[in-house]
């Protein structure tokens, strides 16, 4: 069958419905002008597997191309294997970071996989389509391709990363979905070498010209999309360039669109902070990966061991009051014990960012830390997302305890609605921020509240129940009464009048 007569699908399983896959959009954009037979369709990991399977089988595709990441690889493996059994003639093509670094091994272990495209896919996928369209061209002319031939697996060399400016705007042929986050990148690569990050494998930064970025962003502003999330690893690696783009967005603000950036706070200067102060509240979100406040840990993972400029500039950014700020910590890093992590947590919590994400080290194939697992005694899960189980510095039970604390942090802080109560309890119990969430987690799990899904109303009641327990345990007779007053204040600020009325009518007893 001629390639142009084949039905070709570009697909993936996103982690949430509001997410979308930028890689598929790039592949579609570089090929759709010549090949009209290529479709894009995205699913999520929360879709019923039978639904996805049925959709793929009934569509009778001749080739299905999956974009593979740590959050979807295990489900894609099951789905693709079943698809191959149902439709033996359907070609299965894989790409993405989860198959780029161990592609030959993956092909050996998964005989249903016909092709893997490693590394950046735009040029390789275009060449692959050319070869499929002209069978006299050999597969060994496609850079980064892994393929089977006569019972053997062949691995082609990858080419050097191409000039990013040659890759077309990924939304030039596909609409921005109104109900999804729009992903965008203005640069590839990262100047830093964090050992746990795949971007550390490419230290060169390739950025789009600033005029091109402004034109692309102008399209999003014209379309009045909900949110544009930059996936640049360090957006402000070049301070002048970042300043110019921030200023363009402030000057052309449409009053609707929000822009999310991952930045390095050490690189913020007075001029940039003064500019950001003038932004509409809600225009920008900044994500800052602090990861640890322990100098030996920072040195071990390839970051600046002096964390104080980072903490200071993060605090200054938060103090502006008009930019939603998200900070990250990673548990399970080298030289960080449970007690040392506790100190990092308290330092970062004291910044009072809008969100504090407690994440866990993931040992990704191709990263420097993968080669350092023996050095640090890192044990990690065999299957994606390859999360740390234990290290020489922190035990499995301690990391499980941090999982419990992560859950409390997410429920009672990051989701919002408990600000006055949590601040009061942290101060009154004199445990510090980490100690408070640790004590709350112990109570929450000991009683068994984690054993079923809880609505937000229940969490108000649970927090009061915890205060009652802490009052008895620590001989603080007025703690329950004062906690109730603050919970009422939080509820009044969070719930609409009708919901508040129903909540109070039901009372404070937990089901």
């Amino acid at each position: 069958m001629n390639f142009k007569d084949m039905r070709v699908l570009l697909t993936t399983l996103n982690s949430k419905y509001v997410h979308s896959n930028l890689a598929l959009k790039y592949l579609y954009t570089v090929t759709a002008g010549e090949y009209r037979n290529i479709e894009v369709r995205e699913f999520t990991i929360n879709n019923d597997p039978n639904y996805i399977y049925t959709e793929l089988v009934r569509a009778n595709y001749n080739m299905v191309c999956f974009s593979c990441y740590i959050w979807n690889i295990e489900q894609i493996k099951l789905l693709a294997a079943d698809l191959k059994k149902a439709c033996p003639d359907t070609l299965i093509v894989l790409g993405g970071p989860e198959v780029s670094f161990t592609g030959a091994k993956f092909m050996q272990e998964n005989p249903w996989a016909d092709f893997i495209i490693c590394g950046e896919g735009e040029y390789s996928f275009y060449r692959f389509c050319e070869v499929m369209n002209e069978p006299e061209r050999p597969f060994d002319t496609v850079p980064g391709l892994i393929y089977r031939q006569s019972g053997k697996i062949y691995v082609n060399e990858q080419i050097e990363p191409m000039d990013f400016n040659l890759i077309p705007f990924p939304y030039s042929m596909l609409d921005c979905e109104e109900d999804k986050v729009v992903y965008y990148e203005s640069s590839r690569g990262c100047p830093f070498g964090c050992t746990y990050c795949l971007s550390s494998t490419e230290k060169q930064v390739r950025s789009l010209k600033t005029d091109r970025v402004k034109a692309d962003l102008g399209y999003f502003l014209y379309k009045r999309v909900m949110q544009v999330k930059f996936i640049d690893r360090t957006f402000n690696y070049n301070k002048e360039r970042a300043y110019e783009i921030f200023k363009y967005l402030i000057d052309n603000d449409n009053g609707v669109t929000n822009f999310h950036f991952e930045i390095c706070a050490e690189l913020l200067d007075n001029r940039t902070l003064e500019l950001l102060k003038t932004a509409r509240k809600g225009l920008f979100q900044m994500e800052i990966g602090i990861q640890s406040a322990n100098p030996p840990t920072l040195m071990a993972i390839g970051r600046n061991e002096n964390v104080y400029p980072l903490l200071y500039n993060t605090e200054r950014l938060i103090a502006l009051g008009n930019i939603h700020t998200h900070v990250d910590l990673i548990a399970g890093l080298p030289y960080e014990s449970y007690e040392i992590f506790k100190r990092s947590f308290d330092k970062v919590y004291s910044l009072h960012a809008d969100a504090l994400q407690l994440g866990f080290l993931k040992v990704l194939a191709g990263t420097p830390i993968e080669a350092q697992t023996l050095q640090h005694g890192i044990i990690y899960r065999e299957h994606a997302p390859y999360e740390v189980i234990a290290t020489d510095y922190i035990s499995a039970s301690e990391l499980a305890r941090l999982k419990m604390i992560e859950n409390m942090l997410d429920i009672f802080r990051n989701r919002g609605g408990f600000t006055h109560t949590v601040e009061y309890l942290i101060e009154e119990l004199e445990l510090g921020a980490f100690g408070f969430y640790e004590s709350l987690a112990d109570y929450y799990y000991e009683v068994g509240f984690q054993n079923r899904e809880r609505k937000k109303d229940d969490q108000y009641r649970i927090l009061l129940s915890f205060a009652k327990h802490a009052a008895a345990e620590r001989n603080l007779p007025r703690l329950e009464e004062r906690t109730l007053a603050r919970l009422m204040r939080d509820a009044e600020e969070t719930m609409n009048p009708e919901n508040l009325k129903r909540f109070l009518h039901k009372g404070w007893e937990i089901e």
Side-chain angles (χ1 to χ4, degrees):
M1 180 186 291
N2 187 288
F3 178 71
K4 289 185 177 181
D5 294 326
M6 295 171 62
R7 293 198 67 196
V8 179
L9 177 68
L10 296 170
T11 190
T12 193
L13 278 64
N14 296 318
S15 59
K16 294 180 180 178
Y17 174 78
V18 296
H19 295 172
S20 59
N21 186 288
L22 186 57
L24 300 183
K25 291 176 173 59
Y26 278 123
L27 299 185
Y28 181 83
T29 303
V30 298
T31 55
E34 191 166 344
Y35 303 102
R36 303 288 183 175
N37 57 319
I38 298 175
E39 305 171 32
V40 177
R41 185 172 182 188
E42 300 178 42
F43 302 95
T44 82
I45 58 174
N46 300 309
N47 286 139
D48 182 346
N50 289 321
Y51 160 71
I52 305 173
Y53 166 81
T54 303
E55 289 296 289
L56 296 183
V57 171
R58 78 181 186 86
N60 198 28
Y61 293 109
N62 303 105
M63 180 187 294
V64 178
C65 309
F66 290 98
S67 185
C68 305
Y69 301 85
I70 56 174
W71 59 81
N72 66 19
I73 186 61
E74 300 302 332
Q75 288 176 248
I76 284 177
K77 282 160 57 173
L78 295 173
L79 175 63
D82 287 343
L83 178 61
K84 194 69 169 180
K85 289 178 182 177
C87 309
D89 293 332
T90 298
L91 297 175
I92 306 292
V93 184
L94 305 168
E98 269 308 289
V99 293
S100 286
F101 295 93
T102 57
K105 180 173 180 284
F106 188 96
M107 290 276 278
Q108 289 170 350
E109 295 173 349
N110 299 280
W112 47 262
D114 296 299
F115 301 97
I116 290 176
I117 295 178
C118 301
E120 278 188 352
E122 291 89 358
Y123 179 70
S124 295
F125 185 69
Y126 180 81
R127 292 284 294 120
F128 176 68
C129 291
E130 281 189 324
V131 170
M132 292 297 297
N133 193 47
E134 301 176 30
E136 65 275 8
R137 295 195 187 191
F139 282 122
D140 62 11
T141 63
V142 180
L145 183 69
I146 303 177
Y147 62 99
R148 302 178 195 275
Q149 201 165 68
S150 302
K152 294 183 179 180
I153 295 173
Y154 293 87
V155 181
N156 295 348
E157 287 189 16
Q158 297 183 47
I159 58 171
E160 288 296 311
M162 64 187 297
D163 182 351
F164 190 24
N165 286 281
L166 297 177
I167 298 175
F169 180 51
Y171 297 92
S172 58
M173 290 190 170
L174 290 168
D175 289 335
C176 301
E177 299 99 328
E178 293 182 1
D179 56 348
K180 292 187 178 182
V181 174
V182 173
Y183 289 88
Y184 177 76
E185 58 181 343
S186 71
S187 64
R188 290 182 177 178
C190 183
F192 304 108
C194 301
T195 60
Y196 52 82
C197 181
L198 282 172
S199 294
S200 64
T201 61
E202 185 192 349
K203 292 183 170 57
Q204 175 191 7
V205 179
R206 292 169 293 137
S207 58
L208 296 177
K209 293 177 181 177
T210 306
D211 287 345
R212 156 77 186 271
V213 175
K214 289 179 181 178
D216 291 350
L217 297 180
Y219 175 77
F220 297 137
L221 290 165
Y222 166 73
K223 297 292 286 186
R224 297 173 71 83
V225 301
M226 174 182 65
Q227 183 182 56
V228 176
K229 187 168 186 177
F230 280 68
I231 61 170
D232 302 38
R233 300 313 302 162
T234 307
F235 171 75
N236 66 329
Y237 77 95
N238 180 318
K239 289 188 281 189
E240 287 301 316
R241 178 178 180 274
Y243 182 95
E244 190 173 345
I245 294 170
F246 286 146
K247 188 172 190 309
Y248 172 81
L249 293 174
I250 291 170
D251 291 345
N252 294 276
D253 180 16
N254 62 11
V256 174
T257 307
N258 165 266
F259 295 87
H260 178 109
F261 304 91
E262 187 170 336
I263 65 166
C264 178
E266 296 107 305
L267 299 179
L268 290 173
D269 54 19
N270 291 334
R271 179 169 174 255
T272 302
L273 287 166
E274 284 299 314
L275 173 68
L276 293 175
K277 188 192 297 184
T278 67
R280 166 181 62 86
K281 187 171 184 177
L283 176 61
F284 295 140
Q285 288 181 200
M286 304 290 179
E287 183 173 349
I288 301 167
I290 297 173
Q291 318 310 14
S292 174
N294 183 42
T297 297
L298 294 169
M299 185 183 298
I301 61 174
R303 295 171 69 94
N304 186 348
E305 63 180 299
N306 184 2
V307 74
Y308 293 101
L310 168 58
L311 296 178
Y312 175 63
N313 276 353
T314 302
E315 194 167 31
R316 294 174 71 197
L317 181 68
I318 293 167
L320 296 181
N322 62 332
I323 294 173
H324 182 93
T325 309
H326 176 126
V327 296
D328 298 331
L329 282 173
I330 297 178
L333 294 174
Y335 304 118
E336 195 154 62
S337 66
Y338 187 86
E339 283 301 314
I340 291 174
F341 183 84
K342 174 181 178 178
R343 293 202 291 271
S344 289
F345 184 100
D346 281 338
K347 281 182 183 177
V348 174
Y349 194 93
S350 69
L351 299 173
H352 300 294
D354 294 289
L356 166 56
Q357 179 176 324
L358 197 174
F360 293 80
L361 174 65
K362 294 170 179 62
V363 182
L364 305 179
T367 58
I369 207 161
E370 184 192 25
Q372 299 169 4
T373 53
L374 288 177
Q375 177 186 347
H376 298 292
I378 299 172
I379 303 168
Y380 59 98
R381 299 186 189 189
E382 185 176 345
H383 299 288
Y386 318 111
E387 196 169 87
V388 63
I389 291 173
T391 73
D392 282 345
Y393 319 102
I394 190 166
S395 69
S397 61
E398 287 171 329
L399 281 166
R401 192 166 168 80
L402 289 179
K403 284 280 187 184
M404 295 159 55
I405 292 168
E406 176 201 21
N407 191 26
M408 297 301 95
L409 185 70
D410 185 47
I411 291 171
F412 294 104
R413 187 182 191 281
N414 292 337
R415 295 181 194 175
F418 303 95
T419 303
H420 300 297
T421 309
V422 168
E423 286 180 358
Y424 167 72
L425 288 171
I426 289 174
E427 182 178 353
E428 193 69 17
L429 295 177
E430 299 180 336
L431 295 171
F434 184 91
F436 162 73
Y437 287 104
E438 183 181 46
S439 181
L440 177 59
D442 286 341
Y443 174 73
Y444 198 96
Y445 281 76
E446 189 175 311
V447 175
F449 292 131
Q450 81 284 7
N451 290 327
R452 69 176 178 87
E453 193 69 28
R454 297 278 173 179
K455 294 181 179 179
K456 190 144 192 167
D457 288 6
D458 272 349
Q459 307 297 3
Y460 281 95
R461 298 179 180 102
I462 288 169
L463 202 52
L464 181 62
S465 179
F466 166 72
K468 184 177 180 179
H469 166 78
E473 188 176 62
R474 300 171 68 86
N475 193 26
L476 297 169
R478 300 199 63 191
L479 185 72
E480 181 183 356
E481 173 192 341
R482 291 172 174 172
T483 300
L484 178 59
R486 284 158 179 83
L487 280 168
M488 281 298 302
R489 184 177 173 189
D490 281 323
E492 288 167 356
E493 292 181 2
T494 304
M495 300 180 192
N496 63 46
E498 193 60 35
N499 287 342
L500 180 62
K501 183 179 178 181
R502 280 197 296 267
F503 170 71
L504 295 176
H505 177 75
K506 192 172 181 180
W508 290 92
E509 291 301 315
I510 307 166
E511 292 183 356

